[in-house]
Amino acid sequence: MAELEVKQKRLNGRGLFWTWSPRSEKEAGESIVRNLLLHWFPAKVTLKSLSWGYSLWLGTITAALFLILGITGVILMFLYVPSVERAYQSIKDIEYVVSFGWFIRAMHRNAAHLMVASAFLHMVRVFLTGAYKNGIGVGQNRPLNWIVGVVLLLITLLLSFTGYLLPWDQLAFWAITVGTNIAKSAPLVGEWIRFILLGGHEIEQNALIRFYVLHCFFLPSAVLILFSYHMWRIRKDGGLACVDNLVLSQKKEKVKDGIKSKTYSLLGLTTGRTVQVEATLLDEEKYTVNSVPFLIRRIGLVMLGTFIFVALISLFINAPLEEPANPNVTPNPAKAPWYFLWLQELVAITTIRIGGFVLNGAFIGGILIPGVLVLLLAIWPYFDKSSNLNTGVWFGKERIRQNIVFLVLCFFVILLIIIGTYMRGPNWEFYFPWEPWPEIPKKF
Amino acid sequence: MEKEKLKKDVIAIYAVAVIGLIVTLIVYVGYFTPEWKMYQSEFKKYVKQKLGEEKAKGIETGIKQIYVKELRRVDRCITCHMGYEWKGLENAPNPFKTHPKEILDKHPVSKYGCTICHGGQGYALNKEEAHGFIEHWEEPLLGKELEDLYRPPDRKVLMQMNCNICHRYDTLTAGADYINYAKKLVKEKGCRACHKINGRGGVIGPDLTYEGDKAPEQFDYARIGGRKSVFAWHVAHFKNPKMVSPESIMPEMGFGSREAIALTLLMLSWKKVHLPPEYYPQSYTALADLPTPEEIEKERQMREGEGAFFVNKGCFVCHSISVFGIESAAKIGPDLSNAVEDVPSRFGKTLENFIKEPTGTMAIVLGSQITLTDEEKATVVQLLTKAYEKYRKQQLTSKH
């Protein structure tokens, strides 16, 4: 009788919130197993994975920023008009008359910059901890997830870049001019890529609507799909890489203590051992906690913290809006968005003048060097031959040399970005931050 | 890491939430206390005091704007400048003052808005940004602040620049004395000898038809002291063209501040503005910018006289030849009546040689604007020799 009441209650709830009703407990259980969302988080999670110090929670921060961008972005979509005649006006209206418009726009802009930065830092963390390496489980494919991550980083850059054009002011117009001119210098396909991207040879209405559709629909969709896969892969790979490391070190302890660890294949169906089987070797009491509430709560904390941080800085750092776009007047200096400034700087450095002969650096600086770097990044896990003891550890002993090389490259990219952002004045001349630039003339 | 530490997350969440609450509060306080609300409540108080409570009660508050679709302008100035159409606030302090009525009768606010005449940023809702004295806004309010900066000899003149957006082709515009003066100077000084304006004129200097559209970055400020602005550049350039750009062949006209500022305002008003035809004033001279009948008659007389050759070739734009009854409007160059003796003293070569191999400004004029065949060059020498004989006779008779 009591059971029947419970079922009745469930049925009522189901009517509103759950359109599908499982006919048996087995079916209900299967539905959970098959559900992608419920595959994201495990029931139990190691303390190491939860710690601030291992992952720095940079992935979660990036996801939280993407969420903020989605929410503020949808609001902005209701207010923004993607036309060359109206775009600038509509941004002015967002800034001055839309309730909280300036705040939402500032949050969108700041979150966008932060997302580029946090996605990059997330990648740096994964590299330095050797977290793209497989550990001990079967079916692990962390290198694949690393490549997905690299693609996600590239899409993040594209998202930010396409959004840069939308205000249709001088900053937007000339940053996209610089960016697409770099793309043009790619051999054979460069001209074609620029044409496809801009929908013509000029940055005009066609370019604006393309960037708008890419920015608001295609690129976010691509991120959503890849992000879902990225998260699901983490589960398939047995959680964060530090778990593998924990299991390995514990196994050593046990062997030392004379306790035999069992090795067996899963029901004799697959060779090797599954992650789950290895995980049982973990002293659960000592090393793990339940995901609910600990993991969920910490994710909530990081997301809330990210949200509040973005809101807080948006009080002080507002989104810029310069003069309306004017193809006839090039601001001096015209700069690409900051995350592409290292490329612009490279182009400037690799442009060599010998007398009257100018060797344009756009190909070397804008295509070749970044192309090689991205390619190297994607295939790096397949060249990393260090043992799996270096999986999921900060600065693993066998990986010192590659970590140094990686850090030096990152340092140069960041250095070039800083020089490009703060130390390049009119005519791309070098100015120290404390040196004043020549006065920028005005109409009146 | 300890499990106990994880439990501290709860405290952290509360702490972050408190910061969030504070941020929310700050944003809301800002939302409910914008600058314009202060002006509106002050306006209510002022009206109550001056015109009575009844009037004050009728005032509607909130953001107000004039949307002029034809001019693609949204002007929110009236959110603070609420008294612009009120009677009885003629002597009120700004921003409550009534707008002078006569000019609004001809230029209704609903059809023109505010910024097309006054400048400033119509979108904005706070004083600093609305008046436009900020970075990245190129049309500041053409008012007291700017006049304090540039100190024109008379006050309330900068705004006349914008009158000329619609009144561009008028010879005289009521109330725009600086613009009228500048237009007179353009005729008198013969600017069109070298410059194209509204499609008519020479090609020695740059076309000035849309000079006002040039961006600040397109000027060289290396030889300008003080403020680096297009306005300052033009004023300095009119006063002394060679000082501002040494390669310029533009003659120094001896302009004072008044002339230089008037001409600068006129030049800056020459912009491409999206203007539906009905916004141009309906007058007989409108849309034409043609020479007057008197000017045409005078030219006809000169064209039929002894010096017809110089008139037809266009020399008379800059040079008078008084002995032939030719009077130049601009008088940029010297009178050619005594060219036979004047040329050697100026250039150290005979007139014949100078015409064949001119130097300085004339090299450019004869190289591009007025091209002469060898026969015509001979004619020039022949005619000017004749003029010189006449000139000598006149000199002698006047001495006696």
Side-chain angles (χ1 to χ4, degrees):
Chain A
M1 193 62 200
E3 205 187 320
L4 205 74
E5 259 174 46
V6 171
K7 271 189 180 165
Q8 198 61 42
K9 267 186 190 170
R10 265 194 208 153
L11 209 74
N12 289 341
R14 180 191 306 150
L16 261 181
F17 300 111
W18 206 1
T19 50
W20 176 72
S21 46
R23 273 165 299 180
S24 65
E25 294 291 327
K26 185 169 174 280
E27 215 177 273
E30 269 183 347
S31 77
I32 289 168
V33 174
R34 282 177 187 161
N35 188 310
L36 178 80
L37 283 173
L38 294 173
H39 269 73
W40 274 10
F41 301 120
K44 286 205 158 207
V45 61
T46 62
L47 286 164
K48 180 94 180 167
S49 308
L50 276 181
S51 72
W52 299 115
Y54 173 69
S55 70
L56 307 175
W57 286 79
L58 286 162
T60 313
I61 290 170
T62 311
L65 289 167
F66 184 71
L67 188 68
I68 295 168
L69 285 162
I71 295 166
T72 52
V74 166
I75 299 170
L76 290 172
M77 276 176 79
F78 279 102
L79 303 164
Y80 170 80
V81 187
S83 108
V84 293
E85 282 91 16
R86 299 283 300 278
Y88 184 75
Q89 277 192 17
S90 64
I91 302 276
K92 280 279 182 193
D93 283 354
I94 290 169
E95 284 290 316
Y96 289 118
V97 283
V98 172
S99 305
F100 309 111
W102 67 273
F103 188 62
I104 290 162
R105 185 164 169 258
M107 278 188 74
H108 194 78
R109 186 80 168 199
N110 290 329
H113 288 325
L114 286 173
M115 187 175 162
V116 172
S118 69
F120 173 75
L121 291 175
H122 177 51
M123 182 195 77
V124 173
R125 191 283 292 174
V126 168
F127 191 97
L128 294 181
T129 52
Y132 56 67
K133 289 165 59 64
N134 287 332
I136 44 168
V138 164
Q140 279 184 328
N141 197 349
R142 289 219 176 91
L144 175 64
N145 215 14
W146 165 264
I147 292 172
V148 172
V150 171
V151 175
L152 274 168
L153 175 66
L154 294 179
I155 297 178
T156 305
L157 290 176
L158 269 180
L159 259 170
S160 192
F161 184 66
T162 48
Y164 222 84
L165 180 68
L166 304 186
W168 207 249
D169 62 347
Q170 281 291 72
L171 184 69
F173 187 88
W174 290 98
I176 303 307
T177 304
V178 174
T180 50
N181 278 351
I182 290 176
K184 194 168 73 175
S185 56
L188 301 174
V189 289
E191 194 73 50
W192 181 79
I193 288 174
R194 188 172 184 272
F195 186 85
I196 294 291
L197 203 59
L198 296 182
H201 295 291
E202 307 272 324
I203 301 178
E204 252 291 335
Q205 181 63 60
N206 288 358
L208 182 60
I209 200 72
R210 274 178 198 217
F211 274 50
Y212 178 74
V213 175
L214 283 173
H215 185 75
C216 300
F217 179 72
F218 278 100
L219 296 173
S221 305
V223 168
L224 273 181
I225 292 164
L226 285 176
F227 168 66
S228 308
Y229 182 68
H230 198 60
M231 290 294 287
W232 178 75
R233 267 248 61 94
I234 294 173
R235 282 281 280 140
K236 284 292 272 189
D237 294 338
L240 300 192
C242 62
V243 176
D244 287 55
N245 190 261
L246 194 66
V247 174
L248 275 172
S249 59
Q250 225 205 337
K251 210 160 99 181
K252 261 196 210 161
E253 264 175 45
K254 284 188 177 172
V255 171
K256 207 166 60 190
D257 294 346
I259 299 169
K260 248 185 170 178
S261 66
K262 282 189 255 175
T263 52
Y264 47 83
S265 63
L266 184 65
L267 303 173
L269 290 174
T270 54
T271 52
R273 290 152 294 161
T274 64
V275 178
Q276 285 82 355
V277 172
E278 285 291 350
T280 56
L281 288 173
L282 272 179
D283 188 340
E284 290 205 348
E285 272 302 298
K286 200 170 155 194
Y287 293 110
T288 67
V289 287
N290 286 330
S291 292
V292 183
F294 296 105
L295 174 64
I296 300 300
R297 195 162 61 202
R298 192 152 268 196
I299 287 173
L301 172 62
V302 172
M303 291 206 139
L304 185 70
T306 309
F307 186 81
I308 301 300
F309 178 74
V310 172
L312 185 69
I313 61 165
S314 298
L315 288 181
F316 307 102
I317 306 167
N318 292 343
L321 186 63
E322 299 193 348
E323 294 90 344
N326 184 352
N328 297 321
V329 178
T330 320
N332 190 4
K335 290 187 180 183
W338 63 269
Y339 39 81
F340 287 148
L341 273 184
W342 64 285
L343 296 181
Q344 200 177 348
E345 188 64 38
L346 273 177
V347 171
I349 292 170
T350 50
T351 298
I352 301 161
R353 284 188 177 79
I354 309 160
F357 180 72
V358 178
L359 191 68
N360 193 340
F363 173 64
I364 298 170
I367 303 291
L368 193 67
I369 296 175
V372 167
L373 284 182
V374 169
L375 190 72
L376 261 181
L377 209 58
I379 60 173
W380 193 262
Y382 301 100
F383 289 95
D384 184 346
K385 297 292 178 205
S386 59
S387 77
N388 59 11
L389 284 170
N390 298 280
T391 303
V393 210
W394 278 92
F395 305 109
K397 272 177 199 153
E398 291 171 53
R399 299 184 65 252
I400 284 174
R401 217 183 321 155
Q402 46 179 310
N403 276 340
I404 288 172
V405 170
F406 181 76
L407 278 176
V408 166
L409 285 175
C410 288
F411 171 78
F412 273 114
V413 168
I414 292 167
L415 185 75
L416 289 177
I417 286 175
I418 290 171
I419 290 175
T421 310
Y422 297 109
M423 302 177 202
R424 288 294 183 183
N427 305 323
W428 213 250
E429 270 158 29
F430 188 87
Y431 288 86
F432 281 107
W434 55 86
E435 273 180 313
W437 285 13
E439 188 190 330
I440 294 165
K442 294 199 60 114
K443 197 140 199 171
F444 284 97
Chain B
M1 197 183 64
E2 302 295 318
K3 278 185 196 178
E4 288 309 307
K5 270 191 189 167
L6 277 171
K7 286 180 183 157
K8 285 183 183 158
D9 281 4
V10 180
I11 301 162
I13 286 174
Y14 279 120
V16 172
V18 168
I19 300 172
L21 203 64
I22 294 167
V23 173
T24 312
L25 269 175
I26 293 172
V27 173
Y28 264 88
V29 167
Y31 177 68
F32 285 114
T33 57
E35 202 182 331
W36 57 267
K37 275 196 179 172
M38 184 195 74
Y39 284 113
Q40 292 197 342
S41 67
E42 269 181 34
F43 182 69
K44 257 192 167 170
K45 263 186 238 164
Y46 188 81
V47 170
K48 194 175 158 185
Q49 196 189 333
K50 292 272 165 186
L51 306 172
E53 193 150 346
E54 203 57 31
K55 292 244 175 186
K57 265 187 189 165
I59 298 168
E60 278 176 41
T61 51
I63 296 173
K64 298 180 182 305
Q65 67 178 26
I66 300 158
Y67 175 35
V68 189
K69 211 175 181 177
E70 292 80 8
L71 299 178
R72 293 179 189 162
R73 272 171 196 268
V74 176
D75 289 340
R76 304 191 171 114
C77 318
I78 57 168
T79 306
C80 298
H81 294 269
M82 290 186 98
Y84 72 107
E85 274 183 333
W86 281 59
K87 271 181 195 162
L89 297 177
E90 285 77 9
N91 297 316
N94 260 327
F96 307 144
K97 205 173 175 176
T98 310
H99 194 285
K101 198 173 171 300
E102 311 76 54
I103 194 124
L104 283 197
D105 287 343
K106 281 188 185 165
H107 305 85
V109 171
S110 58
K111 205 182 150 196
Y112 288 89
C114 317
T115 54
I116 185 98
C117 303
H118 288 272
Q121 185 176 189
Y123 302 115
L125 277 171
N126 61 70
K127 189 181 166 184
E128 199 197 352
E129 288 177 62
H131 289 192
F133 295 100
I134 47 159
E135 235 188 313
H136 306 309
W137 191 257
E138 289 292 354
E139 288 176 39
L141 196 63
L142 298 169
K144 198 174 163 298
E145 292 96 326
L146 268 193
E147 296 197 332
D148 285 345
L149 200 66
Y150 290 113
R151 302 185 173 281
D154 305 283
R155 281 301 161 118
K156 297 192 175 174
V157 295
L158 294 189
M159 215 177 92
Q160 293 178 15
M161 185 185 90
N162 282 348
C163 301
N164 210 43
I165 292 174
C166 300
H167 292 277
R168 170 169 193 148
Y169 302 105
D170 293 3
T171 320
L172 286 172
T173 311
D177 50 342
Y178 262 58
I179 290 292
N180 293 341
Y181 182 44
K183 281 177 178 170
K184 201 175 134 216
L185 285 173
V186 168
K187 281 216 160 134
E188 279 178 9
K189 301 290 174 186
C191 305
R192 277 204 167 98
C194 300
H195 297 282
K196 212 163 235 152
I197 300 163
N198 298 340
R200 218 154 48 79
V203 293
I204 296 168
D207 189 333
L208 300 179
T209 305
Y210 294 117
E211 181 68 14
D213 276 334
K214 266 201 192 169
E217 289 86 350
Q218 288 169 293
F219 293 85
D220 179 9
Y221 302 88
R223 292 164 203 89
I224 298 228
R227 194 174 170 82
K228 286 186 172 138
S229 69
V230 179
F231 192 91
W233 189 93
H234 276 306
V235 172
H237 184 255
F238 274 122
K239 284 181 180 168
N240 191 343
K242 280 210 168 56
M243 196 249 327
V244 175
S245 54
E247 283 94 57
S248 172
I249 54 157
M250 179 156 150
E252 199 181 321
M253 304 279 191
F255 290 141
S257 277
R258 190 163 187 268
E259 287 76 19
I261 288 182
L263 284 165
T264 301
L265 289 173
L266 184 69
M267 296 257 281
L268 291 181
S269 77
W270 289 334
K271 310 183 267 196
K272 264 187 207 126
V273 177
H274 169 79
L275 213 56
E278 66 266 26
Y279 278 82
Y280 288 102
Q282 300 295 308
S283 68
Y284 291 107
T285 57
L287 300 173
D289 193 24
L290 294 170
T292 59
E294 293 82 27
E295 288 170 329
I296 294 169
E297 173 59 21
K298 203 172 173 188
E299 205 180 307
R300 192 192 61 78
Q301 281 175 10
M302 292 194 287
R303 213 178 277 280
E304 286 165 5
E306 254 178 308
F309 175 84
F310 297 102
V311 178
N312 289 328
K313 282 289 164 193
C315 312
F316 83 115
V317 177
C318 301
H319 296 284
S320 296
I321 310 173
S322 48
V323 290
F324 289 161
I326 294 171
E327 199 196 326
S328 157
K331 295 187 190 72
I332 296 167
D335 193 322
L336 296 182
S337 301
N338 65 338
V340 173
E341 66 173 23
D342 192 37
V343 167
S345 73
R346 277 175 195 258
F347 302 102
K349 49 173 121 173
T350 62
L351 176 66
E352 206 171 345
N353 285 336
F354 183 74
I355 285 289
K356 275 180 194 159
E357 285 167 13
T359 50
T361 309
M362 285 312 290
I364 297 163
V365 174
L366 293 178
S368 60
Q369 177 100 354
I370 302 170
T371 45
L372 299 171
T373 61
D374 287 346
E375 275 171 38
E376 283 168 334
K377 281 176 187 171
T379 315
V380 169
V381 178
Q382 191 198 330
L383 280 169
L384 286 180
T385 314
K386 201 174 149 196
Y388 183 60
E389 280 163 18
K390 231 177 164 183
Y391 171 78
R392 290 288 290 175
K393 264 180 208 164
Q394 273 182 11
Q395 290 276 311
L396 285 170
T397 46
S398 66
K399 268 181 188 170
H400 281 292

